[in-house]
Amino acid sequence: QVQLVESGGGLVQAGGSLRLSCAASGRTFSSYTMGWFRQAPGKEREFVAATSRSGGSTSYQNSVKGRFTISRDNAKNTVYLQMNSLKPEDTAVYYCAADIDGRWFAPSRTGDYDYWGQGTQVTVSS
């Protein structure tokens, strides 16, 4: 069983920045592919970014490329999402997720992941 706890959400003005964190339980965090998703009201959950076990490979949704950066610290069992140049359309609940298979194929579907956090709200005002 893997427990994921997100933090770092909040209210920010357009153009601002936030850094989300996701702390994972367990001793095998470094073997998981990790991802971030988001879900806006009335919309389906969508992929944001993913990182491989070592952090050496990453993938992003086109709309966040160049603005968001996913990273991880395996010593701290934590994955991060640095979000810059935020836009009102980035407003959503952000979730981190773990793929315990760990093989890197840039997973972007919700079904590719096995465990989910409870989410953290990000609100960007215009």
Side-chain angles (χ1 to χ4, degrees):
Q1 188 77 5
V2 178
Q3 292 186 327
L4 304 172
V5 179
E6 301 97 334
S7 61
L11 173 64
V12 64
Q13 289 188 333
S17 298
L18 282 174
R19 188 196 196 201
L20 305 183
S21 299
C22 172
S25 64
R27 294 177 290 178
T28 55
F29 176 77
S30 60
S31 67
Y32 307 151
T33 292
M34 296 298 297
W36 285 97
F37 287 73
R38 65 187 181 187
Q39 188 166 17
K43 295 188 176 181
E44 293 187 352
R45 193 169 298 189
E46 65 174 5
F47 171 75
V48 176
T51 180
S52 62
R53 291 174 290 187
S54 67
S57 297
T58 57
S59 65
Y60 296 92
Q61 182 198 115
N62 284 338
S63 69
V64 307
K65 283 181 180 178
R67 299 190 298 123
F68 291 10
T69 303
I70 188 171
S71 62
R72 67 191 296 162
D73 185 340
N74 287 339
K76 296 183 178 179
N77 279 17
T78 301
V79 62
Y80 305 98
L81 186 67
Q82 178 67 45
M83 305 186 295
N84 299 329
S85 302
L86 282 161
K87 305 175 181 179
E89 51 263 45
D90 294 318
T91 295
V93 177
Y94 283 71
Y95 299 89
C96 72
D99 168 19
I100 62 175
D101 177 89
R103 289 175 295 175
W104 178 248
F105 59 96
S108 61
R109 301 174 302 176
T110 56
D112 294 329
Y113 293 84
D114 305 290
Y115 294 97
W116 295 82
Q118 83 290 347
T120 185
Q121 176 70 47
V122 172
T123 303
V124 184
S125 63
S126 56

